[in-house]
Amino acid sequence: QQQVKQSPQSLIVQKGGISIINCAYENTAFDYFPWYQQFPGKGPALLIAIRPDVSEKKEGRFTISFNKSAKQFSLHIMDSQPGDSATYFCAAGGQTSGSRLTFGEGTQLTVNP
Amino acid sequence: DGGITQSPKYLFRKEGQNVTLSCEQNLNHDAMYWYRQDPGQGLRLIYYSQIVNDFQKGDIAEGYSVSREKKESFPLTVTSAQKNPTAFYLCASSIGSGHYGYTFGSGTRLTVV
């Protein structure tokens, strides 16, 4: 019930294209869904997050789409740039897990110039 | 500037030795976490602490130990009982229960030689 499944494991996109990463969760008590971006040799950094009272949140070129009934959420990167090449992690948290986040397995994104 | 400091950045350990990884935060966060990152396996929780002088095992606590004597500090000891300690170790902190945004340190890469 605590798992978060992320796909794909790796993704290659051309510059200017749309990158889409998907996550699915099982625990209906989760109420916070962040995405983290990690560059090689660095710690992950919070990119964008959503709560289940909205179906979409946009910040610049990054958008989270959330489907509560399907228990799925996704990250869309519009106009992908080579500088977006990184590993992306989805995560989920909720009151029943205290302050803990459960992370997906990560997606390695490569944006070719 | 507030943040999390992990040290050292690189650490080499001989088999059979214990080593301690440092994690210090000046964000006034109550909760702190240790994650292990291996290629293709995402972030796996080792230990976490939601308050000073209290901590709980995560999903892969065997072979590790922690202490939380000060709010700012959450050191991780990798003991000789950890059979495969070579990995990238990440420390994180958050405000506490009900608030899920994590701030990560820049990591320590441990290699057994």
Side-chain angles (χ1 to χ4, degrees):
Chain A
Q1 276 244 320
Q2 295 295 323
Q3 284 187 321
V4 177
K5 291 294 188 182
Q6 183 172 345
S7 63
Q9 190 173 9
S10 63
L11 179 63
I12 299 175
V13 174
Q14 292 300 117
K15 178 182 176 181
I18 303 173
S19 304
I20 301 174
I21 305 171
N22 301 299
C23 283
Y25 64 97
E26 299 172 354
N27 188 344
T28 55
F30 286 147
D31 63 359
Y32 177 74
F33 303 90
W35 285 89
Y36 285 82
Q37 180 188 55
Q38 184 183 29
F39 293 105
K42 303 293 185 183
L46 179 65
L47 189 63
I48 187 173
I50 196 169
R51 292 198 181 263
D53 52 342
V54 296
S55 60
E56 186 175 282
K57 183 174 181 180
K58 184 177 181 179
E59 290 184 3
R61 296 184 293 109
F62 301 91
T63 299
I64 298 180
S65 296
F66 183 78
N67 186 330
K68 188 174 181 179
S69 61
K71 293 187 285 185
Q72 295 175 346
F73 59 109
S74 60
L75 176 69
H76 296 235
I77 306 175
M78 311 299 288
D79 188 27
S80 299
Q81 299 296 313
D84 296 331
S85 297
T87 299
Y88 292 81
F89 293 96
C90 64
Q95 289 289 347
T96 56
S97 58
S99 57
R100 290 181 55 174
L101 288 174
T102 299
F103 286 86
E105 299 90 346
T107 296
Q108 188 166 351
L109 172 66
T110 301
V111 181
N112 288 328
Chain B
D1 286 339
I4 296 184
T5 302
Q6 288 188 243
S7 61
K9 189 170 179 65
Y10 299 96
L11 186 58
F12 297 89
R13 189 195 93 172
K14 292 183 179 179
E15 286 194 24
Q17 284 183 338
N18 293 353
V19 290
T20 297
L21 283 59
S22 172
C23 178
E24 302 277 337
Q25 55 99 357
N26 61 3
L27 298 166
N28 200 32
H29 284 173
D30 285 323
M32 297 187 74
Y33 315 83
W34 274 105
Y35 284 87
R36 170 177 171 145
Q37 185 173 20
D38 297 282
Q41 295 197 47
L43 303 173
R44 293 186 290 167
L45 182 65
I46 303 172
Y47 269 98
Y48 66 105
S49 168
Q50 295 185 316
I51 197 168
V52 175
N53 292 321
D54 188 38
F55 49 83
Q56 289 78 41
K57 292 181 178 180
D59 302 317
I60 56 165
E62 185 175 352
Y64 300 97
S65 65
V66 293
S67 63
R68 186 88 187 276
E69 297 175 0
K70 298 188 300 182
K71 187 175 185 178
E72 301 80 16
S73 179
F74 192 39
L76 173 74
T77 297
V78 184
T79 75
S80 57
Q82 170 48 237
K83 298 305 179 187
N84 185 21
T86 295
F88 189 52
Y89 290 87
L90 287 160
C91 179
S93 70
S94 68
I95 292 175
S97 184
H99 299 270
Y100 314 120
Y102 281 15
T103 299
F104 280 90
S106 55
T108 293
R109 185 165 299 280
L110 173 64
T111 304
V112 174
V113 296

